[in-house]
Amino acid sequence: MEAKKKKQKVDKNSMGYRRMKSDRRWFFFFISPWFIGFLLLTVGPMIYSFFMSFTDWDLLTKMNFIGLDNYKNLLHDDIFILAVKNTFKYAIISVPLNLLMSLGMAYLLSFKIKGMRFFRTLYYLPAIVPAVASSILFKNILAKNGLLNKGLHFLGINGPAWLLNKKVVLYGFVFLAVWGVGGTMVLLLSSINSIGDEMYESAELDGASRLKMFTSITIPQISPVIFFNLITGIIGSLQTFTQVYMITGGGPDNSSQMIVPYLYQNAFSYYRMGYASAMAWILFFIVMILSAIVLRSSSAWVFYEEEMK
């Protein structure tokens, strides 16, 4: 027993142990800014907003604890229910369309043709335009006498007032979302270019068509990137704010209202911080549930090369 303790004491005094202890201290030193920021700017506000969701607070008077009343009132809030429906409709249309468009563009841009770099840059440019700038741009494009309707009129089609028609206003936001697919396209393009040529050459020798190679080689190989873009696309679409705030403000008649703009409106226009916090937590659980469903399904269609035996 004494020999064991002595050995342990010798090990603690060894150069390797001291170096490991020093590395650990440096690790916590360098990670501390992020960790402190995470606690103060993420975890702290989340806990505070969760507590606030059970109160009736207007930022000026004393907090009044009201239990689950905010959550109960949300179930009877017609505007909130409409905002949830609009958000889901927008996400259901924009996310798959965004993925399909970016996947098709990435595949076409992966071919080694002269001048392809120019087109890659051209299609990526909209992705780096700030959200506010692109919203102002599309507010003019989608206007009654905007560029889109002028183009449709040239083809003999009378375009609707995209931002004033309750039936089509959401499709204007889908158009804006598809316009900015460059970021997703670049990730998919990089993933496609990383696939070895030998796989395609082998398939071509076996007589496989381009469509067969795309579905049997390209799609499985880039499925982790598709999965990543699907998750981020769902989260991003459910948190849409800038476009709605800048272009329509939720109108006409709340037909383009979404969860986050309505949350912001309640918090900073009506000063209903508790009610807005309850909304934020409902959105958080919606995002968590949908993300969990997609994660659960990933084992059936996402291919990881290291899983091969």
Side-chain angles (χ1 to χ4, degrees), residues 124-242:
Y124 178 68
L125 281 176
I128 62 175
V129 177
V132 173
S134 60
S135 297
I136 294 171
L137 174 65
F138 267 78
K139 189 172 183 178
N140 290 286
I141 291 174
L142 298 172
K144 177 63 179 176
N145 297 318
L147 186 62
L148 179 59
N149 280 349
K150 285 181 179 178
L152 291 174
H153 181 72
F154 180 76
L155 298 173
I157 302 171
N158 291 321
W162 295 93
L163 303 179
L164 300 175
N165 191 322
K166 293 193 288 185
K167 293 182 179 180
V168 299
V169 65
L170 277 178
Y171 297 106
F173 291 104
V174 173
F175 183 30
L176 174 54
V178 172
W179 180 73
V181 298
T184 306
M185 180 206 71
V186 166
L187 293 175
L188 291 168
L189 177 61
S190 176
S191 184
I192 290 172
N193 287 337
S194 67
I195 301 173
D197 292 336
E198 62 276 1
M199 298 182 72
Y200 293 108
E201 291 170 359
S202 178
E204 194 173 1
L205 288 173
D206 291 337
S209 63
R210 282 195 179 276
L211 179 61
K212 185 66 177 177
M213 286 190 283
F214 179 72
T215 55
S216 300
I217 298 175
T218 307
I219 294 294
Q221 288 291 321
I222 67 172
S223 57
V225 181
I226 295 174
F227 170 66
F228 170 78
N229 285 318
L230 177 60
I231 288 285
T232 55
I234 290 172
I235 296 172
S237 62
L238 293 176
Q239 294 179 340
T240 300
F241 170 73
T242 306

Side-chain angles (χ1 to χ4, degrees), residues 63-294:
M63 279 189 183
N64 181 30
F65 185 79
I66 57 173
L68 295 171
D69 285 359
N70 285 325
Y71 294 94
K72 291 177 183 177
N73 292 334
L74 282 172
L75 298 176
H76 303 287
D77 187 339
D78 293 335
I79 299 177
F80 176 71
I81 292 170
L82 180 60
V84 172
K85 289 179 180 178
N86 290 338
T87 305
F88 271 90
K89 184 179 179 180
Y90 169 75
I92 289 168
I93 297 172
S94 66
V95 174
L97 191 59
N98 192 307
L99 272 176
L100 288 172
M101 287 285 292
S102 57
L103 180 60
M105 289 167 60
Y107 181 68
L108 292 174
L109 292 172
S110 66
F111 292 108
K112 297 175 182 178
I113 302 173
K114 189 176 180 180
M116 192 59 75
R117 289 184 179 179
F118 168 76
F119 289 103
R120 290 175 182 173
T121 305
L122 184 67
Y123 290 131
Y124 178 68
L125 281 176
I128 62 175
V129 177
V132 173
S134 60
S135 297
I136 294 171
L137 174 65
F138 267 78
K139 189 172 183 178
N140 290 286
I141 291 174
L142 298 172
K144 177 63 179 176
N145 297 318
L147 186 62
L148 179 59
N149 280 349
K150 285 181 179 178
L152 291 174
H153 181 72
F154 180 76
L155 298 173
I157 302 171
N158 291 321
W162 295 93
L163 303 179
L164 300 175
N165 191 322
K166 293 193 288 185
K167 293 182 179 180
V168 299
V169 65
L170 277 178
Y171 297 106
F173 291 104
V174 173
F175 183 30
L176 174 54
V178 172
W179 180 73
V181 298
T184 306
M185 180 206 71
V186 166
L187 293 175
L188 291 168
L189 177 61
S190 176
S191 184
I192 290 172
N193 287 337
S194 67
I195 301 173
D197 292 336
E198 62 276 1
M199 298 182 72
Y200 293 108
E201 291 170 359
S202 178
E204 194 173 1
L205 288 173
D206 291 337
S209 63
R210 282 195 179 276
L211 179 61
K212 185 66 177 177
M213 286 190 283
F214 179 72
T215 55
S216 300
I217 298 175
T218 307
I219 294 294
Q221 288 291 321
I222 67 172
S223 57
V225 181
I226 295 174
F227 170 66
F228 170 78
N229 285 318
L230 177 60
I231 288 285
T232 55
I234 290 172
I235 296 172
S237 62
L238 293 176
Q239 294 179 340
T240 300
F241 170 73
T242 306
Q243 299 90 322
V244 176
Y245 183 79
M246 292 295 301
I247 297 176
T248 63
D253 196 22
N254 293 307
S255 56
S256 66
Q257 187 66 274
M258 296 191 195
I259 298 174
V260 177
Y262 187 53
L263 185 159
Y264 177 86
Q265 194 177 52
N266 274 274
F268 299 106
S269 295
Y270 307 145
Y271 299 104
R272 303 170 68 188
M273 297 301 296
Y275 196 63
S277 297
M279 244 182 265
W281 276 95
I282 287 178
L283 176 60
F284 173 78
F285 286 118
I286 289 172
V287 170
M288 289 294 291
I289 291 168
L290 291 177
S291 299
I293 292 170
V294 176

